[in-house]
Amino acid sequence: MAIPSIAYWSQKYNTTVANLTSKGYTPFSHFPQVPIDEIAKAYKQIEAEKGPACAPCAAEKMLGSRDEVSV
């Protein structure tokens, strides 16, 4: 799934930019930070409204609802 990977690399980027800025590399102070918390909040909100974004999760959800209907 892409979301954990995006979160990992975004956090790594934010940490690197902050470290380089604190070491005195002033051009890095102009680099934007990735708003990880806001992205996670938006993703959770969309997932709550529309259901899971991953195919296996959606398939599992559909199979669960089919079992309930067929009983």
Side-chain angles (χ1 to χ4, degrees):
M1 182 179 243
I3 299 300
S5 180
I6 291 169
Y8 171 79
W9 288 108
S10 297
Q11 182 63 40
K12 190 166 182 76
Y13 166 82
N14 286 345
T15 304
T16 302
V17 169
N19 288 339
L20 290 171
T21 300
S22 69
K23 289 181 181 180
Y25 295 101
T26 55
F28 286 97
S29 65
H30 299 287
F31 280 45
Q33 293 285 309
V34 178
I36 299 169
D37 296 332
E38 292 177 22
I39 293 171
K41 183 179 175 183
Y43 178 76
K44 287 178 184 176
Q45 183 180 10
I46 290 169
E47 191 174 53
E49 292 173 3
K50 296 186 178 183
C54 70
C57 299
E60 183 178 301
K61 187 175 180 180
M62 286 178 56
L63 289 176
S65 65
R66 285 184 188 165
D67 290 341
E68 293 172 5
V69 172
S70 64
V71 172

Coordinates of all heavy atoms in Angstrom, one line a residue:
M1 N 0.8 -1.2 0.0 CA 0.0 0.0 0.0 C 0.9 1.2 0.0 O 1.9 1.3 0.6 CB -0.9 0.0 1.2 CG -1.9 1.1 1.3 SD -3.0 1.0 2.6 CE -4.5 0.9 1.8
A2 N 0.5 2.2 -0.7 CA 1.3 3.4 -0.9 C 1.3 4.4 0.3 O 2.3 5.1 0.6 CB 0.8 4.2 -2.1
I3 N 0.2 4.4 1.1 CA 0.1 5.4 2.2 C 1.2 5.2 3.2 O 1.8 6.2 3.6 CB -1.3 5.3 2.8 CG1 -2.4 5.7 1.8 CG2 -1.4 6.2 4.0 CD1 -2.2 7.0 1.2
P4 N 1.5 4.0 3.7 CA 2.6 3.9 4.7 C 4.0 4.4 4.1 O 4.8 5.0 4.8 CB 2.7 2.5 5.1 CG 1.3 2.0 4.8 CD 0.8 2.8 3.6
S5 N 4.2 4.1 2.9 CA 5.4 4.5 2.2 C 5.5 6.0 2.1 O 6.6 6.6 2.3 CB 5.5 3.8 0.8 OG 6.7 4.2 0.2
I6 N 4.4 6.6 1.7 CA 4.4 8.1 1.6 C 4.6 8.7 2.9 O 5.4 9.7 3.0 CB 3.0 8.5 1.0 CG1 2.9 8.1 -0.5 CG2 2.9 10.0 1.1 CD1 1.6 8.2 -1.1
A7 N 4.0 8.2 3.9 CA 4.2 8.7 5.3 C 5.7 8.6 5.7 O 6.2 9.6 6.3 CB 3.3 8.0 6.3
Y8 N 6.3 7.5 5.5 CA 7.7 7.2 5.9 C 8.6 8.2 5.2 O 9.4 8.9 5.8 CB 8.1 5.8 5.6 CG 9.5 5.5 5.7 CD1 10.1 5.3 7.0 CD2 10.4 5.5 4.6 CE1 11.4 5.1 7.2 CE2 11.8 5.3 4.8 CZ 12.3 5.1 6.1 OH 13.6 4.9 6.2
W9 N 8.5 8.3 3.9 CA 9.4 9.2 3.1 C 9.1 10.7 3.3 O 10.1 11.5 3.3 CB 9.4 8.8 1.6 CG 10.0 7.5 1.4 CD1 9.4 6.3 1.0 CD2 11.4 7.2 1.5 NE1 10.4 5.3 0.9 CE2 11.6 5.9 1.2 CE3 12.5 8.0 1.8 CZ2 12.8 5.2 1.2 CZ3 13.8 7.4 1.8 CH2 13.9 6.0 1.5
S10 N 7.9 11.0 3.6 CA 7.6 12.4 3.9 C 8.2 12.8 5.3 O 8.7 13.9 5.4 CB 6.1 12.6 3.9 OG 5.5 12.4 2.7
Q11 N 8.1 11.9 6.2 CA 8.7 12.2 7.5 C 10.2 12.3 7.4 O 10.8 13.1 8.0 CB 8.3 11.1 8.5 CG 8.9 11.3 9.9 CD 8.3 12.6 10.6 OE1 7.2 12.9 10.4 NE2 9.2 13.3 11.3
K12 N 10.8 11.4 6.6 CA 12.3 11.4 6.4 C 12.7 12.7 5.7 O 13.7 13.3 6.1 CB 12.7 10.2 5.6 CG 14.2 10.0 5.5 CD 14.5 8.6 4.9 CE 15.9 8.4 4.9 NZ 16.5 8.1 6.1
Y13 N 11.9 13.2 4.8 CA 12.2 14.5 4.1 C 12.1 15.6 5.1 O 13.0 16.5 5.1 CB 11.2 14.7 2.9 CG 11.1 16.1 2.4 CD1 12.1 16.5 1.5 CD2 10.2 17.0 2.8 CE1 12.0 17.8 1.0 CE2 10.1 18.3 2.3 CZ 11.1 18.7 1.4 OH 11.0 19.9 0.9
N14 N 11.0 15.6 5.9 CA 10.8 16.7 6.8 C 12.0 16.8 7.8 O 12.5 17.8 8.2 CB 9.5 16.6 7.6 CG 8.3 16.9 6.8 OD1 8.5 17.6 5.7 ND2 7.2 16.6 7.2
T15 N 12.4 15.6 8.3 CA 13.5 15.5 9.3 C 14.8 16.0 8.7 O 15.6 16.7 9.3 CB 13.7 14.1 9.8 OG1 12.4 13.7 10.4 CG2 14.8 14.0 10.8
T16 N 15.1 15.6 7.4 CA 16.3 16.0 6.7 C 16.4 17.5 6.5 O 17.4 18.1 6.8 CB 16.4 15.3 5.4 OG1 16.4 13.8 5.6 CG2 17.7 15.6 4.7
V17 N 15.2 18.1 6.1 CA 15.2 19.5 5.9 C 15.4 20.3 7.2 O 16.2 21.2 7.2 CB 13.9 19.9 5.2 CG1 13.7 21.4 5.2 CG2 13.8 19.4 3.8
A18 N 14.8 19.8 8.2 CA 14.9 20.4 9.6 C 16.4 20.3 10.1 O 16.9 21.3 10.6 CB 14.0 19.8 10.6
N19 N 17.0 19.2 9.9 CA 18.4 19.0 10.3 C 19.4 19.9 9.5 O 20.3 20.5 10.1 CB 18.8 17.5 10.2 CG 18.2 16.6 11.3 OD1 17.7 17.1 12.3 ND2 18.1 15.3 11.0
L20 N 19.2 19.9 8.2 CA 20.1 20.7 7.4 C 19.9 22.2 7.7 O 20.9 23.0 7.7 CB 19.8 20.4 5.9 CG 20.3 19.1 5.5 CD1 19.9 18.8 4.0 CD2 21.8 18.9 5.6
T21 N 18.7 22.6 8.0 CA 18.4 24.0 8.3 C 19.1 24.4 9.7 O 19.7 25.4 9.8 CB 16.9 24.3 8.4 OG1 16.3 24.0 7.1 CG2 16.6 25.7 8.8
S22 N 19.0 23.5 10.6 CA 19.6 23.7 11.9 C 21.1 23.7 11.9 O 21.7 24.3 12.8 CB 19.1 22.7 13.0 OG 19.6 21.4 12.7
K23 N 21.7 23.0 10.9 CA 23.1 23.0 10.8 C 23.7 24.3 10.0 O 24.9 24.4 9.8 CB 23.6 21.8 10.0 CG 23.4 20.5 10.8 CD 23.8 19.3 10.1 CE 23.6 18.0 10.9 NZ 24.1 16.8 10.2
G24 N 22.8 25.1 9.6 CA 23.2 26.4 9.0 C 23.1 26.4 7.5 O 23.6 27.4 6.9
Y25 N 22.5 25.4 6.9 CA 22.4 25.4 5.4 C 21.1 26.2 5.1 O 20.0 25.7 5.0 CB 22.3 24.0 4.9 CG 23.6 23.2 5.0 CD1 23.7 22.3 6.1 CD2 24.6 23.4 4.2 CE1 24.8 21.5 6.2 CE2 25.8 22.7 4.3 CZ 25.9 21.7 5.4 OH 27.1 21.0 5.5
T26 N 21.3 27.5 5.0 CA 20.1 28.4 4.9 C 19.2 28.2 3.7 O 18.0 28.4 3.8 CB 20.6 29.9 4.9 OG1 21.5 30.1 3.8 CG2 21.2 30.3 6.2
P27 N 19.7 27.7 2.5 CA 18.7 27.5 1.4 C 17.6 26.4 1.8 O 16.5 26.5 1.3 CB 19.6 26.9 0.3 CG 20.9 27.4 0.6 CD 21.0 27.5 2.1
F28 N 17.9 25.5 2.7 CA 17.0 24.5 3.1 C 15.8 25.1 4.0 O 14.8 24.5 4.1 CB 17.6 23.3 3.8 CG 18.4 22.5 2.9 CD1 19.8 22.6 2.7 CD2 17.7 21.5 2.2 CE1 20.4 21.8 1.8 CE2 18.4 20.7 1.3 CZ 19.8 20.9 1.1
S29 N 16.1 26.3 4.5 CA 15.0 26.9 5.3 C 13.8 27.4 4.4 O 12.7 27.7 4.9 CB 15.5 28.1 6.1 OG 16.0 29.2 5.2
H30 N 14.1 27.4 3.1 CA 13.0 27.8 2.1 C 12.3 26.6 1.6 O 11.3 26.8 0.9 CB 13.6 28.6 1.0 CG 14.3 29.9 1.4 ND1 13.5 31.0 1.9 CD2 15.6 30.2 1.6 CE1 14.4 31.9 2.2 NE2 15.6 31.5 2.1
F31 N 12.7 25.4 1.9 CA 12.0 24.2 1.4 C 10.7 24.0 2.2 O 10.7 24.2 3.5 CB 12.9 22.9 1.6 CG 14.0 22.8 0.6 CD1 14.7 23.8 0.1 CD2 14.2 21.5 0.0 CE1 15.7 23.6 -0.8 CE2 15.1 21.3 -0.9 CZ 15.9 22.4 -1.4
P32 N 9.7 23.6 1.6 CA 8.4 23.4 2.3 C 8.4 22.1 3.1 O 9.1 21.2 2.7 CB 7.3 23.4 1.2 CG 8.1 22.8 0.0 CD 9.5 23.4 0.2
Q33 N 7.7 22.1 4.2 CA 7.5 20.9 5.0 C 6.2 20.2 4.4 O 5.3 20.8 4.0 CB 7.3 21.2 6.5 CG 8.5 21.8 7.1 CD 9.6 20.8 7.4 OE1 9.3 19.7 8.0 NE2 10.8 21.0 6.9
V34 N 6.3 18.9 4.5 CA 5.1 18.1 4.0 C 4.2 18.0 5.2 O 4.6 17.5 6.3 CB 5.5 16.7 3.5 CG1 4.3 15.9 3.1 CG2 6.5 16.8 2.4
P35 N 2.9 18.4 5.1 CA 2.0 18.3 6.2 C 1.4 16.9 6.4 O 0.3 16.6 6.1 CB 0.9 19.3 5.8 CG 0.9 19.2 4.3 CD 2.3 19.0 3.9
I36 N 2.2 16.1 7.0 CA 1.9 14.6 7.2 C 0.6 14.5 8.0 O -0.3 13.7 7.6 CB 3.0 13.9 7.9 CG1 4.3 14.0 7.0 CG2 2.6 12.4 8.1 CD1 5.5 13.5 7.7
D37 N 0.4 15.2 9.1 CA -0.8 15.1 9.9 C -2.0 15.4 9.1 O -3.1 14.7 9.3 CB -0.7 15.9 11.2 CG 0.5 15.5 12.1 OD1 0.8 14.3 12.0 OD2 1.0 16.3 12.8
E38 N -2.0 16.5 8.4 CA -3.2 16.9 7.6 C -3.5 15.9 6.5 O -4.7 15.6 6.2 CB -2.9 18.3 7.0 CG -2.8 19.4 8.0 CD -2.5 20.7 7.4 OE1 -2.8 20.9 6.2 OE2 -2.0 21.6 8.1
I39 N -2.5 15.3 5.9 CA -2.7 14.3 4.8 C -3.4 13.1 5.5 O -4.3 12.5 4.9 CB -1.4 14.0 4.1 CG1 -0.9 15.2 3.3 CG2 -1.6 12.7 3.2 CD1 0.5 15.0 2.7
A40 N -2.8 12.6 6.6 CA -3.4 11.5 7.3 C -4.8 11.7 7.7 O -5.7 10.8 7.5 CB -2.5 11.1 8.5
K41 N -5.1 12.9 8.2 CA -6.5 13.2 8.6 C -7.4 13.2 7.4 O -8.5 12.7 7.5 CB -6.5 14.6 9.3 CG -7.8 15.0 9.8 CD -7.7 16.4 10.5 CE -9.1 16.9 10.9 NZ -9.0 18.3 11.5
A42 N -7.0 13.8 6.3 CA -7.8 13.8 5.1 C -8.1 12.4 4.6 O -9.2 12.0 4.2 CB -7.2 14.7 4.0
Y43 N -7.0 11.6 4.6 CA -7.2 10.2 4.1 C -8.1 9.4 5.0 O -9.0 8.7 4.5 CB -5.8 9.5 4.1 CG -5.9 8.1 3.6 CD1 -6.0 7.8 2.3 CD2 -5.8 7.0 4.5 CE1 -6.1 6.4 1.9 CE2 -5.9 5.7 4.1 CZ -6.1 5.4 2.8 OH -6.2 4.1 2.4
K44 N -8.0 9.6 6.3 CA -8.9 8.8 7.2 C -10.4 9.3 7.0 O -11.3 8.5 7.1 CB -8.5 9.0 8.7 CG -7.2 8.3 9.0 CD -6.8 8.5 10.4 CE -5.5 7.8 10.7 NZ -5.0 8.1 12.0
Q45 N -10.6 10.6 6.7 CA -11.9 11.1 6.5 C -12.5 10.5 5.2 O -13.6 10.1 5.2 CB -11.9 12.6 6.4 CG -13.2 13.2 6.3 CD -13.2 14.7 6.2 OE1 -12.1 15.3 6.1 NE2 -14.3 15.4 6.3
I46 N -11.7 10.5 4.2 CA -12.2 9.9 2.9 C -12.4 8.4 3.1 O -13.4 7.9 2.6 CB -11.1 10.2 1.8 CG1 -11.1 11.6 1.4 CG2 -11.5 9.3 0.5 CD1 -10.0 12.1 0.5
E47 N -11.6 7.7 3.8 CA -11.7 6.3 4.0 C -13.0 6.0 4.8 O -13.7 5.0 4.5 CB -10.5 5.7 4.7 CG -10.5 4.2 4.7 CD -9.2 3.6 5.3 OE1 -8.8 4.0 6.4 OE2 -8.6 2.8 4.6
A48 N -13.3 6.8 5.7 CA -14.5 6.7 6.5 C -15.8 6.9 5.7 O -16.8 6.2 5.9 CB -14.5 7.6 7.7
E49 N -15.7 7.8 4.8 CA -16.9 8.1 3.9 C -17.1 7.1 2.8 O -18.2 6.7 2.5 CB -16.7 9.5 3.3 CG -16.8 10.6 4.3 CD -16.5 12.0 3.7 OE1 -16.2 12.1 2.5 OE2 -16.5 13.0 4.5
K50 N -16.0 6.7 2.1 CA -16.0 5.9 0.9 C -15.6 4.5 1.1 O -15.7 3.7 0.2 CB -15.2 6.5 -0.2 CG -15.7 7.9 -0.6 CD -15.0 8.4 -1.8 CE -15.6 9.7 -2.2 NZ -14.9 10.2 -3.4
G51 N -15.1 4.1 2.3 CA -14.6 2.8 2.5 C -13.1 2.7 2.2 O -12.5 3.6 1.8
P52 N -12.5 1.5 2.5 CA -11.1 1.3 2.3 C -10.7 1.5 0.8 O -11.4 1.2 -0.1 CB -10.8 -0.1 2.7 CG -12.1 -0.7 3.1 CD -13.2 0.3 2.9
A53 N -9.5 2.1 0.6 CA -9.0 2.4 -0.7 C -8.2 1.2 -1.3 O -8.1 1.2 -2.5 CB -8.0 3.6 -0.7
C54 N -7.8 0.3 -0.5 CA -7.0 -0.8 -1.1 C -7.9 -1.9 -1.6 O -9.0 -2.1 -1.1 CB -6.0 -1.4 -0.1 SG -6.8 -2.3 1.3
A55 N -7.5 -2.5 -2.7 CA -8.4 -3.6 -3.3 C -8.7 -4.7 -2.4 O -9.8 -5.2 -2.3 CB -7.7 -4.0 -4.6
P56 N -7.7 -5.3 -1.7 CA -8.0 -6.5 -0.8 C -9.0 -6.1 0.3 O -9.8 -6.9 0.6 CB -6.6 -6.9 -0.2 CG -5.6 -6.4 -1.2 CD -6.2 -5.1 -1.8
C57 N -8.8 -4.9 0.8 CA -9.8 -4.4 1.9 C -11.2 -4.3 1.3 O -12.1 -4.7 2.0 CB -9.3 -3.1 2.4 SG -7.7 -3.1 3.2
A58 N -11.3 -3.7 0.1 CA -12.6 -3.6 -0.5 C -13.2 -4.9 -0.8 O -14.4 -5.1 -0.6 CB -12.5 -2.7 -1.7
A59 N -12.4 -5.8 -1.3 CA -12.9 -7.2 -1.7 C -13.4 -7.9 -0.4 O -14.4 -8.5 -0.4 CB -11.8 -8.0 -2.4
E60 N -12.6 -7.8 0.7 CA -13.0 -8.4 1.9 C -14.3 -7.8 2.4 O -15.2 -8.5 2.9 CB -11.9 -8.2 3.0 CG -12.2 -8.9 4.3 CD -11.0 -8.6 5.2 OE1 -9.9 -9.0 4.9 OE2 -11.3 -8.1 6.3
K61 N -14.5 -6.5 2.3 CA -15.7 -5.9 2.7 C -16.9 -6.4 1.9 O -18.0 -6.6 2.4 CB -15.6 -4.4 2.6 CG -16.7 -3.6 3.1 CD -16.4 -2.1 3.1 CE -17.6 -1.3 3.6 NZ -17.4 0.1 3.6
M62 N -16.7 -6.5 0.5 CA -17.7 -7.0 -0.3 C -18.1 -8.5 0.0 O -19.3 -8.8 0.0 CB -17.3 -6.9 -1.8 CG -17.3 -5.5 -2.3 SD -16.8 -5.4 -4.0 CE -17.9 -6.5 -4.8
L63 N -17.1 -9.3 0.2 CA -17.4 -10.7 0.5 C -18.1 -10.8 1.8 O -19.0 -11.6 2.0 CB -16.1 -11.5 0.6 CG -15.4 -11.7 -0.7 CD1 -14.0 -12.4 -0.5 CD2 -16.2 -12.6 -1.6
G64 N -17.8 -10.0 2.8 CA -18.5 -10.0 4.1 C -20.0 -9.6 3.9 O -20.9 -10.2 4.5
S65 N -20.3 -8.6 3.0 CA -21.6 -8.2 2.8 C -22.4 -9.3 2.0 O -23.6 -9.5 2.2 CB -21.7 -6.9 2.1 OG -21.1 -7.0 0.8
R66 N -21.7 -10.0 1.1 CA -22.4 -11.1 0.3 C -22.8 -12.2 1.2 O -23.8 -12.8 1.1 CB -21.4 -11.6 -0.8 CG -21.3 -10.7 -1.9 CD -20.5 -11.3 -3.0 NE -20.2 -10.3 -4.0 CZ -19.2 -10.5 -4.9 NH1 -18.5 -11.6 -4.9 NH2 -19.0 -9.6 -5.8
D67 N -21.9 -12.6 2.2 CA -22.2 -13.7 3.1 C -23.5 -13.3 3.9 O -24.3 -14.2 4.1 CB -21.1 -13.9 4.1 CG -19.9 -14.6 3.3 OD1 -20.1 -15.1 2.2 OD2 -18.8 -14.5 3.9
E68 N -23.6 -12.1 4.3 CA -24.8 -11.7 5.1 C -26.0 -11.7 4.2 O -27.1 -12.1 4.7 CB -24.6 -10.2 5.6 CG -23.5 -10.1 6.6 CD -23.2 -8.7 7.0 OE1 -23.9 -7.8 6.5 OE2 -22.2 -8.5 7.8
V69 N -25.9 -11.4 2.9 CA -27.1 -11.4 2.1 C -27.5 -12.8 1.7 O -28.7 -13.1 1.7 CB -26.8 -10.6 0.8 CG1 -27.9 -10.7 -0.2 CG2 -26.5 -9.1 1.1
S70 N -26.6 -13.7 1.5 CA -26.9 -15.0 1.1 C -27.4 -15.9 2.2 O -28.0 -16.9 1.9 CB -25.7 -15.7 0.4 OG -24.6 -15.9 1.4
V71 N -27.3 -15.5 3.4 CA -27.8 -16.3 4.5 C -29.2 -16.2 4.8 O -30.0 -15.6 4.5 CB -27.0 -15.9 5.9 CG1 -27.6 -16.6 7.0 CG2 -25.6 -16.3 5.7

